[in-house]
Amino acid sequence: MELLKRRICIIGSGEAGLHLAYALKDDFDITVMERKSPDQFKKGRIMSTQVHFGPTRKREKRFKMPNWEDQPLIESIHITIGNEKLFVGMLQEPALSVDQRLYYSYSINDLIENGVSFRFEKVDKEDLDILLEKYDLIIDCTGKNGPLFPFPTEESLTPFQTPQRKCIVGYFEGIKANNPLGVSVTVLPELGEMFEIPALTEQGPVTILFVMVVPKSDLDVFKGIKYAEDFTLKMRNTVQQFFPDIHTRIDEENFALTDDNAFLQTAITPVIRKPYSLVKNKLVVGCGDSVFLNDPITGQGCNLSSYCAEQLYETLMKYKDSKWDIEAGEYYWNRTKQYVTEVTGWTNAMTKPLPNHVVQLLLQVAQDQAKADEIAEWFANPTKAYEAFFLNNIN
Ligand SMILES: Cc1cc2nc3c(=O)[nH]c(=O)nc-3n(C[C@H](O)[C@H](O)[C@H](O)COP(=O)(O)OP(=O)(O)OC[C@H]3O[C@@H](n4cnc5c(N)ncnc54)[C@H](O)[C@@H]3O)c2cc1C
């Protein structure tokens, strides 16, 4: 007779929760609690720019997550500092950005079809005692609005008390794609950055314009904008003034947001927490932004969530038939800590003026395609970026 499967409750079905639901569904009895229905995701506001690099796409395959294979693949990273285009580095494996509204709603429906239980309700702190009694394990995947549980802050990895950037994002039609198709990164020292990202939405391929603004700088011009039309106008003017390369590719007549919810303004105060805790004598764990929240400047949040979900999966499989206690929590943290430290260190450094040795490196790379390709890989393999910033071992 088959033993009853252990019961796991995943709170939140974003990048982390979805990865875990797919990964764990065959070995455990999974319930996902999510405050938004698939339809609410679909009709709601954009949430991210969500570039998934090669290693994340491999994990999605490993866990048999939905396949977006034929869509506009990101092959390269274009780097510009000021108005000087430095180089285009080719990625070893293509990346992909699928609008989370589409990705989340599609994946939730797919999981339901595959027998995973969903409860579409917001979990409040008052609900936790009941959930703790009912489930063998709770995984807090509530994202940047979380966590619901008291995971202790890792002070050494949490240097900022305020956001280092304002994040301004719009999904647009009417921009001719760059060539080779890729993410364009433009760094304007002391003002901020622009990331131009090809992406897939329900309406088809679009171009994301993602402006990261140093607060109170001359680029800090989106304050108080609430309506789609005003946002489009402000973005058009900002691109014309600060990002001339993108401006030359804008088709004035067709430049528009893909829909009225295709823009967002937010700002993140990064905070890293130890991803496990003992509550009422039961282990609870966190995964994704609820415990590892970084500024989006290096595009690592989804990728880090995916990485940590895989580490948590491996942990729960190792402890499948033994007690889920502090030892299991510590094992999960030990598997993730090094990578979290590297992603966080690099990301925090990117919000500061680029160190001189990195600027010199970028300038030299312009003459050397193999080195340009290595820099592009920083985004897929942030350990390499961490080494270049802190161990200075690319020359
Ligand atoms: C502007 C911007 C651009 C970004 N660009 C990139 C990028 O290019 N590449 C990249 O890798 N990362 C990027 N990120 C980061 C990335 O979006 C996040 O790191 C990633 O979505 C985190 O996944 P998650 O599952 O932890 O949280 P989320 O994706 O936020 O999911 C959390 C889920 O939990 C649900 N939830 C929350 N609270 C409750 C509750 N109390 N009860 C029930 N449900 C709840 C929410 O509805 C949501 O579905 C960006 C972020 C921002 C803000």
Side-chain angles (χ1 to χ4, degrees):
M1 197 179 80
E2 203 193 343
L3 286 174
L4 276 183
K5 288 178 177 170
R6 291 167 97 175
R7 306 195 67 194
I8 297 179
C9 176
I10 299 172
I11 309 177
S13 60
E15 299 285 346
L18 288 171
H19 268 73
L20 285 163
Y22 276 100
L24 298 170
K25 70 181 169 41
D26 296 334
D27 293 282
F28 301 98
D29 180 349
I30 302 291
T31 300
V32 184
M33 301 192 68
E34 167 56 59
R35 64 183 172 180
K36 291 197 226 166
S37 69
D39 211 41
Q40 284 170 317
F41 275 117
K42 248 187 171 176
K43 294 186 178 142
R45 187 166 291 276
I46 58 161
M47 294 169 278
S48 180
T49 64
Q50 70 267 313
V51 179
H52 290 196
F53 290 97
T56 295
R57 299 185 68 227
K58 273 207 183 111
R59 286 185 287 269
E60 291 172 319
K61 266 206 184 106
R62 176 182 181 194
F63 296 134
K64 301 192 173 56
M65 299 178 72
N67 188 348
W68 312 92
E69 209 63 78
D70 299 321
Q71 308 309 330
L73 293 171
I74 296 167
E75 297 161 3
S76 61
I77 309 282
H78 301 230
I79 302 280
T80 300
I81 297 189
N83 282 333
E84 191 183 347
K85 179 130 186 193
L86 295 183
F87 59 86
V88 180
M90 300 304 292
L91 290 165
Q92 278 172 24
E93 297 161 314
L96 181 65
S97 166
V98 178
D99 183 353
Q100 283 181 341
R101 295 179 295 181
L102 173 61
Y103 186 106
Y104 289 5
S105 55
Y106 187 92
S107 303
I108 292 169
N109 283 329
D110 183 53
L111 282 166
I112 292 172
E113 270 177 34
N114 281 287
V116 174
S117 305
F118 268 77
R119 281 171 55 189
F120 293 106
E121 58 190 88
K122 179 169 182 282
V123 179
D124 291 313
K125 289 203 168 142
E126 303 79 71
D127 306 325
L128 297 178
D129 280 357
I130 296 174
L131 296 179
L132 280 165
E133 262 176 42
K134 189 165 172 192
Y135 294 96
D136 297 304
L137 181 73
I138 300 182
I139 311 179
D140 186 329
C141 299
T142 51
K144 60 181 181 299
N145 298 324
L148 288 164
F149 290 99
F151 301 111
T153 302
E154 282 287 300
E155 301 295 344
S156 64
L157 296 174
T158 307
F160 304 126
Q161 264 64 56
T162 54
Q164 302 300 294
R165 291 289 187 278
K166 293 182 178 178
C167 308
I168 321 286
V169 184
Y171 288 18
F172 288 99
E173 290 159 0
I175 304 176
K176 187 167 172 275
N178 54 19
N179 184 25
L181 193 60
V183 174
S184 287
V185 184
T186 304
V187 179
L188 298 182
E190 293 171 26
L191 301 181
E193 299 78 20
M194 165 71 93
F195 294 81
E196 178 195 357
I197 303 169
L200 174 74
T201 67
E202 210 174 11
Q203 294 85 8
V206 302
T207 305
I208 299 178
L209 295 181
F210 178 11
V211 193
M212 302 221 68
V213 173
V214 173
K216 301 197 171 74
S217 72
D218 288 352
L219 195 56
D220 194 356
V221 293
F222 284 81
K223 257 178 278 180
I225 292 184
K226 291 200 177 67
Y227 301 105
E229 272 179 26
D230 300 338
F231 186 89
T232 305
L233 191 62
K234 184 59 83 182
M235 187 60 91
R236 188 196 302 250
N237 292 341
T238 303
V239 168
Q240 181 169 16
Q241 187 179 349
F242 294 99
F243 304 100
D245 168 62
I246 300 175
H247 187 245
T248 58
R249 288 183 281 112
I250 284 187
D251 163 5
E252 293 286 346
E253 260 178 37
N254 293 313
F255 183 68
L257 286 167
T258 52
D259 60 89
D260 282 353
N261 279 322
F263 70 105
L264 99 92
Q265 298 208 43
T266 186
I268 305 246
T269 304
V271 46
I272 304 299
R273 298 181 164 93
K274 196 177 274 192
Y276 69 91
S277 189
L278 214 53
V279 180
K280 304 230 158 175
N281 231 4
K282 255 196 177 160
L283 179 73
V284 291
V285 288
C287 188
D289 280 1
S290 65
V291 283
F292 308 134
L293 179 61
N294 279 305
D295 192 284
I297 192 163
T298 51
Q300 294 302 312
C302 301
N303 297 286
L304 183 59
S305 299
S306 163
Y307 177 88
C308 293
E310 185 173 56
Q311 301 310 317
L312 181 53
Y313 164 76
E314 297 293 357
T315 303
L316 295 178
M317 292 309 285
K318 178 177 159 71
Y319 285 84
K320 190 173 175 192
D321 299 315
S322 39
K323 200 163 185 279
W324 285 337
D325 56 8
I326 284 295
E327 186 195 308
E330 195 60 28
Y331 181 80
Y332 165 48
W333 182 215
N334 282 336
R335 288 186 73 112
T336 46
K337 192 171 187 178
Q338 171 80 17
Y339 192 74
V340 169
T341 301
E342 290 166 355
V343 169
T344 301
W346 174 43
T347 302
N348 289 339
M350 284 288 289
T351 66
K352 299 282 160 214
L354 286 178
N356 198 29
H357 76 277
V358 172
V359 174
Q360 291 311 317
L361 176 65
L362 295 176
L363 292 172
Q364 285 164 22
V365 158
Q367 319 301 325
D368 182 337
Q369 189 57 45
K371 290 263 192 297
D373 297 349
E374 279 180 27
I375 306 279
E377 272 314 287
W378 287 2
F379 292 89
N381 182 357
T383 299
K384 294 284 175 211
Y386 181 81
E387 288 169 1
F389 270 67
F390 298 105
L391 310 181
N392 206 357
N393 72 352
I394 291 188
N395 42 49

